[in-house]
Amino acid sequence: MTKQTSPFNLSTCARQNILVLQPYRCARDDYKDDGKNILLDANENAYGPGLDLNHPAKESKEVTTELGLGIDFLGLNRYPDPHQEELKQLFCERRNTHEHTQKTLRPENLFVGVGSDEVIDAVLRCFCIPGHDKIITCPPTYGMYAVSAQVNDIKIVKVPLDPERAFSLRPEAISNALSSDPSIKLVYICSPGNPTGSIISKSDIQQVLEHPTWNGVVVLDEAYVDFAPDGSSLAEWVTEWPNLVVMQTLSKGFGLAGIRLGAAFTSPEIALLLNSLKAPYNISSPTSAIAKAALQPKNLAVMRSHIEKIFEQRDRLLQEMPQIPGIGRFLGGQDSNFLLVEILDKPREKGGRPSNKTATALYDCLAEEKGVVVRFRGREFGCEGCLRITIGTAGEMDRFLSSTQRVLAEIFKSYSGVNGETHGEVTAIDGKLK
């Protein structure tokens, strides 16, 4: 074949901000789901979908009918509903609690997307001019805000949470930033936070919303709100604040990460803009059918029962993990399906301090030797030496606790060979270790 010449040069043809883009690092980038690993790293619901799946073996059509899924397999040659009014109404019914307002959410207050990630990106494209505008993020927080901003050539102003107050918001610092820079269009706030697990107070959010001169939007990410106390969601508050967007997802509490369904509650005016800029058929028919089934009373009861089981195991970890030599404080809050915990360089009673070295060693050994995958978070603001542990089933927590205790003991034993000091012994937690 004759050698061809071309003026094409990827390095000058592609957008420069994309060429230097650091993609979001997913949990599965490090360790795959091989069917044997215990996956405690992606904050998935270990108890499965919030659907009543306790059916004897039947034809798939019978099961989908009994579940109320309404999937018309022969109709998959047709495009799905572009408006999803019925699904939006079900979301409204779930969040019309009248805890925060007497006004009522309606479908015109909703945008639904392919997970919360589409919502994050859509809001950026709606309000921010590439190469000009900025957003505020509050680290430590969800990494996709920054990735989506970089994709859209939007600069980021960081106003960190306060680690001395359980990673609470700093509304005064945010207000100062908004006053000094009118190019800031969005403030992304995660509540409950990831990786902090802390609920952001309503009064702090209101303080940002009430800024006297800022012309911008507060985006409140409530991905984990189904694990928070009843009444925590501020979704219905969008009927009071024209510059508030509240994001939610079915990936966490509902255990439906695989269908990729997210929602944004906001004013009808903003919802109209978001619905206008989306792809015409962004929600597939199977996704819509499963989501609508999940929001029915029968399946909501299943979801709540799964969450109660998660709470039981979360409380168990809060009690048992501190008994392991080398485990430090739990940081942040507990309004989620995960815990953020410090890993120390030696047992607490010997003056142990949070250590990224020890946390990384524990993270690696758990995954590679024990098949237990957690998430290292020690490089994030205020999270020195921290691992984030997704709450799993009782059996998964058994294996996590015993593996953590054994691995930490081996790590400290290896340290003792260097400094001549023994830091910890393998002892039983509730008789589970021999």
Side-chain angles (χ1 to χ4, degrees), residues 173-386:
I174 292 174
S175 293
N176 290 339
L178 298 178
S179 296
S180 63
D181 191 344
S183 67
I184 297 172
K185 290 291 187 67
L186 304 173
V187 178
Y188 280 94
I189 300 171
C190 195
S191 177
N194 175 17
T196 68
S198 296
I199 284 278
I200 301 299
S201 78
K202 181 179 176 181
S203 60
D204 284 350
I205 295 169
Q206 182 168 341
Q207 189 172 336
V208 179
L209 288 166
E210 289 178 336
H211 191 283
T213 62
W214 178 55
N215 182 24
V217 176
V218 172
V219 185
L220 183 63
D221 187 347
E222 292 189 339
Y224 297 93
V225 77
D226 293 306
F227 302 103
D230 290 344
S232 294
S233 174
L234 297 180
E236 64 183 3
W237 219 23
V238 303
T239 61
E240 299 285 352
W241 297 96
N243 60 331
L244 176 63
V245 174
V246 177
M247 301 191 305
Q248 294 186 0
T249 179
L250 297 188
S251 296
K252 306 302 181 181
F254 284 82
L256 291 170
I259 72 169
R260 308 305 299 127
L261 196 287
F265 298 84
T266 188
S267 68
E269 293 80 10
I270 291 178
L272 178 61
L273 296 178
L274 297 176
N275 283 302
S276 297
L277 64 81
K278 74 174 181 67
Y281 307 108
N282 62 330
I283 306 300
S284 73
S285 297
T287 289
S288 177
I290 294 170
K292 286 185 286 189
L295 290 164
Q296 300 295 332
K298 179 181 179 180
N299 291 317
L300 286 171
V302 174
M303 182 268 286
R304 293 187 188 100
S305 70
H306 288 175
I307 288 177
E308 287 300 320
K309 293 175 183 177
I310 289 170
F311 288 169
E312 290 175 7
Q313 296 306 312
R314 184 184 66 190
D315 292 344
R316 176 188 172 193
L317 255 62
L318 289 167
Q319 293 177 359
E320 295 188 17
M321 280 195 75
Q323 300 177 39
I324 300 175
I327 297 297
R329 300 172 299 168
F330 292 102
L331 300 187
Q334 298 161 16
D335 295 308
S336 57
N337 67 332
F338 59 84
L339 293 170
L340 185 67
V341 62
E342 292 176 329
I343 308 301
L344 311 180
D345 58 0
K346 54 187 172 183
R348 186 168 13 192
E349 62 272 15
K350 296 181 180 290
R353 299 179 62 82
S355 166
N356 275 353
K357 176 184 176 183
T358 308
T360 302
L362 176 59
Y363 164 75
D364 290 337
C365 290
L366 281 175
E368 295 169 12
E369 298 178 13
K370 305 296 184 182
V372 178
V373 186
V374 297
R375 205 82 188 262
F376 175 67
R377 282 291 175 255
R379 296 187 187 92
E380 298 196 31
F381 176 82
C383 299
E384 176 78 18
C386 283

